[in-house]
Every structure is written in structure tokens, then in C-alpha cells.
């Protein structure tokens, strides 16, 4: 072939090849375009999906917030309801316990004393149940707080011995409290809660033991510096707890067997509260028990050595009590039987008591006379204790002494009430049912020199 022919052939081939390449390129770019479109579509739907999901999450977050608010409102309502209920139940109980105390102190009639002792015992039980329900609801609402104060652990033990001595004699049980010598005399922690834990455990030990002993031992375990662990064991030779029940005995409303309530009474709340009180102090509680042999509950709580305080012994309590004589006290109380009870309590110490049936009457009396002290009920008709205090403390009111000490006296035993009382300008707080000795002690603290 001559060369032009060859050249033409080459050009033709190349054209063909280029055409094919162009066609391939076109096809590929179409494919690419389609793939791109598809990807775009997918991307858009993905964005839509993400948007929808985000909306869903936000909606459920909002719903959750609404539910949280509802739950919080329900807890608040429950707390308030319990506070009101406790007030309603404690008010008549206050009268029952106080008047029974007076009969027990005054009566020379054996039958009356015997009946009164039973009434007192039942009323104390009822009060214990109300307190347990209140405590439990406080724990549930996260409203329980712990103090860190110096206190004498020996005194706590002595108090427990006094509390349970009678029970031990009644059931002919040996009751001992052993304290490790290494425990410092003054420790730092919450004495009220420690006492409550011990009373629950020792109370149970007595309740479920008919023969033998109840032994309490307190041990010291060194931690860093001034810190130590208090290890307490409450042991009894009672009925024991079946192995199968030991795991859930700390749950609320749990009792080891169904006949327990019938035989021994109780709400099944005591151990649940006890466990919470230990754990909220970063402690631990456990038990060992064998049916028919006995039970031991042990707990460990971290504590700190306290600073020994110069204890000013009450040299002459009689003299101090004598200084209460002729005090002039105004009792503001709307319930007649409580006024009657207060009158008897004050009369015993020769304290002069006047009475107002509500805040309004109290203001009128305080505008005409001065008093050494006002004992103020909180829930009252017309003008309640809160409002009355506000008026007494206000310089614009006609009250003669705006600084008169005011002690709130209320059946509402919530801890918040106590701090609210101080914030409202009152000087102290006494829970009802009134403990006669606590009332005298408060007066001695205020007035004895
Ligand atoms: P309750 O108020 O019913 O006593 P607790 O929570 O204090 O409630 O105790 C729950 C249950 O644990 C009791 O009902 C009892 O069956 C069992 N229990 C507690 N302590 C002892 C003990 N020391 N010996 C035998 N059983 C006990």
C-alpha cells in the first residue's frame, strides 16, 4: 500500500477509536450524573431523616421534662400531704400522751396507772409509726440532711442503756453495751441519726428475742489522721432470720415472715430507713443470722475525732429549775385540750401561763402586756403562727416588746419547718407531742443564768 492509503487508514482507525472513547466517556458521565443524582437524593432524604429524628428527640426531651416536672410536683404534693397528715395525727396524739403522762405522775389509783401505762405504750407506738412514715418520705424526697457536730459518744450509749434497761428487765434479757477504749470521747458526726440507727437495731433485737441477750459493741478502726471508722454490731439470741429472706430484709415493707406483723407489729420500714441513714453517711450495713440461734446487724460509718469540750456540769439542776418560777409565758394555741395540757405542764414549775386562741388574740394581749416568752402554735385559724410572728417582730405593730422570745410549738415535724421557723424570726422549735422534759430544758437554756 502506498503511504497516503496507510495514513488514511490510520486516521480512520483513530477517528473510530476516538468516537468509541467519546461514546464511552458520554456513557460514563451519564452514569456518573445518575449516580450523583441518586446520591443527592439519598443525601436529601438522609438530611430529612436526621431532621425528623432530631425533632423526635427534642419532642421526647420536652415530654420527659414535662414528666419530670409532674413527678417533682407529685413528690412535693406528697410531702405536703404527709406534713399535713402528720400534723393532724400528732395534734390529738399530743393531748393523749401529755395527759397520760400527767395521770401517771399524779394518780395514786393502781388501775388508772395500769390503764394509763397501756395508753401511753400504744400512743408511743403510734408516734413511732408516724415518725417512720415521715422519715421514709423525707429520705425519698432527698430532704434528709446530716449534721457534723462534736458529741459525746459515751452519752449516746448511756442514753441507749437508759432507754432499753426497762425492756431488758421486762423480758429478763441480758443487755450490754461494750465500747472500744480507743474510741475518742468526743467524736464528730450526726448524733441524732446515729441514735436513730441504734434505736432501730436494738429495738428490733429486743422485739425478736425472748431469751438470752442483746449485746451492742462499738469498735474503732483507724483511718487517716483524725478520721476513723466506727464499727457497730448489735447482736441478739433471738428467733433469727431465714437465709432466703436475708437478701431483701433491707427493702421497704419487708418482713421475714408473714406472721411477723401479727406477732410483733411493725411497718417493715425500720431497716430500710436504717440502711439509708447508714449509706447516706458513706457507710455500709450487713447482717448475719441463723434461724433459732440469733441475729447480728453490723454497720460501719466514717467518723472524725472531735475536739474535747470543757463540759460545764449542771451543778445544781434544782436551782436552775427554780429560776423558771414566776416566768410569764403566753401560750398561743387554738385547740382547747392542748391549752389545758400546757396549763398543767407550766403549773408544775410554777410558771405563769396566759392563753390566746389564735394569732389575732395573741397580738391583742401582747399589745397590752409584756411576757418573758411566747409559745406559738403554727397552724391556727384567723392569724396563724407565721403571720403573728411577723406582726410581733414588726416595729410598726402595737406589740409592746418586739424582741420577746418566741418558741414554735408544732405538730409539723418536718426538718424544713425547723429552719423556716428560725428564718421567720422565731427563736426555737419544739415538736409536738410536747416532751415535758425537753420543754423544761429549753426554758432552762433560755432563762437560767
Ligand atoms: P419492722 O418495723 O416490721 O420490724 P424492720 O424493717 O425493722 O421492720 O424489720 C423488717 C423485718 O426484719 C422484721 O419484720 C423482722 O422479720 C426482721 N428482723 C429485723 N431485725 C430482726 C432481728 N434482730 N431478729 C429477727 N428478725 C429481725
Amino acid at each position: 500500500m502506498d503511504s497516503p492509503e496507510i495514513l488514511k487508514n490510520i486516521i480512520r482507525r483513530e477517528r473510530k477509536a476516538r468516537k468509541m472513547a467519546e461514546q464511552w466517556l458520554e456513557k460514563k458521565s451519564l452514569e456518573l450524573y445518575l449516580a450523583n443524582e441518586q446520591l443527592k437524593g439519598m443525601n436529601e432524604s438522609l438530611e430529612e431523616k436526621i431532621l425528623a429524628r432530631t425533632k423526635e428527640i427534642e419532642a421526647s426531651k420536652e415530654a420527659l421534662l414535662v414528666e419530670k416536672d409532674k413527678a417533682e410536683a407529685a413528690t412535693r404534693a406528697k410531702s405536703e400531704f404527709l406534713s399535713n397528715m402528720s400534723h393532724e395525727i400528732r395534734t390529738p396524739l399530743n393531748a393523749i400522751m401529755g395527759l397520760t403522762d400527767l395521770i401517771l405522775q399524779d394518780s395514786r389509783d393502781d388501775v388508772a396507772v395500769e390503764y394509763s401505762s397501756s395508753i401511753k405504750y400504744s400512743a408511743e407506738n403510734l408516734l413511732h409509726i408516724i415518725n417512720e412514715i415521715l422519715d421514709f418520705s423525707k429520705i425519698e424526697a432527698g430532704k434528709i440532711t446530716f449534721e457534723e457536730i462534736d458529741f459525746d459518744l459515751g452519752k449516746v450509749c448511756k442514753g441507749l442503756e437508759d432507754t432499753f434497761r426497762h425492756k431488758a428487765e421486762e423480758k429478763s434479757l441480758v443487755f450490754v453495751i461494750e465500747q472500744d477504749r480507743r474510741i475518742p470521747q468526743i467524736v464528730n458526726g450526726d448524733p441524732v441519726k446515729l441514735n436513730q440507727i441504734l434505736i432501730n437495731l436494738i429495738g428490733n433485737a429486743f422485739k425478736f428475742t425472748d431469751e438470752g441477750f442483746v449485746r451492742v459493741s462499738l469498735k474503732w478502726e483507724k483511718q487517716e489522721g483524725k478520721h476513723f471508722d466506727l464499727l457497730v454490731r448489735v447482736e441478739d439470741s433471738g428467733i433469727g432470720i431465714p437465709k432466703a429472706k436475708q437478701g431483701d430484709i433491707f427493702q421497704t415493707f419487708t418482713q421475714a415472715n408473714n406472721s411477723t406483723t401479727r406477732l410483733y407489729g411493725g411497718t417493715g420500714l425500720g431497716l430500710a430507713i436504717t440502711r439509708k441513714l447508714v449509706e447516706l453517711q458513706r457507710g455500709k450495713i450487713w447482717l448475719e443470722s441463723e434461724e433459732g440461734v440469733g441475729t447480728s446487724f453490723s454497720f460501719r460509718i466514717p467518723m472524725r475525732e472531735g475536739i474535747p469540750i470543757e463540759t460545764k456540769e449542771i451543778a445544781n439542776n434544782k436551782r436552775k429549775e427554780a429560776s423558771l418560777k414566776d416566768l410569764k409565758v403566753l401560750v398561743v394555741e387554738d385547740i382547747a385540750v392542748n391549752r389545758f395540757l400546757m396549763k398543767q405542764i407550766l403549773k408544775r414549775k410554777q410558771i405563769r401561763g396566759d392563753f390566746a386562741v389564735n394569732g389575732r388574740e395573741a397580738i391583742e394581749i401582747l399589745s397590752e402586756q409584756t411576757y418573758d416568752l411566747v409559745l406559738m402554735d403554727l397552724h391556727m385559724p384567723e392569724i396563724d403562727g407565721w403571720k403573728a410572728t411577723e406582726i410581733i417582730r414588726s416595729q410598726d405593730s402595737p406589740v409592746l416588746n418586739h424582741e420577746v422570745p418566741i418558741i414554735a410549738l408544732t405538730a409539723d415535724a418536718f426538718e424544713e419547718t425547723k429552719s423556716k421557723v428560725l428564718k421567720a424570726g422565731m427563736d426555737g422549735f419544739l415538736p409536738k407531742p410536747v416532751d415535758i422534759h425537753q420543754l423544761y430544758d429549753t426554758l432552762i437554756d433560755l432563762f437560767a443564768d
Side-chain angles (χ1 to χ4, degrees), residues 25-35:
L25 215 65
E26 224 168 83
K27 194 174 150 229
K28 284 292 157 200
S29 66
L30 188 70
E31 273 174 23
L32 209 67
Y33 172 78
L34 288 175

Side-chain angles (χ1 to χ4, degrees), residues 204-205 207-208 236 240-241 249 254-256 260 266-268 270-271 295 297:
N204 274 349
K207 192 159 133 185
F208 297 106
D236 66 55
I241 301 171
I249 211 76
T254 305
Q255 296 183 321
T260 302
T267 55
L271 284 178
T295 305
F297 280 92

Side-chain angles (χ1 to χ4, degrees), residues 68-84 137 140-141 143 414 416:
K68 188 174 157 255
D69 282 351
K70 270 194 205 160
E72 279 171 2
T75 308
R76 269 199 307 277
K78 194 171 87 177
S79 269
E80 240 163 67
F81 169 76
L82 275 164
S83 161
N84 289 340
S137 78
E140 233 194 355
K143 278 193 175 148
F414 267 79
E416 310 91 85

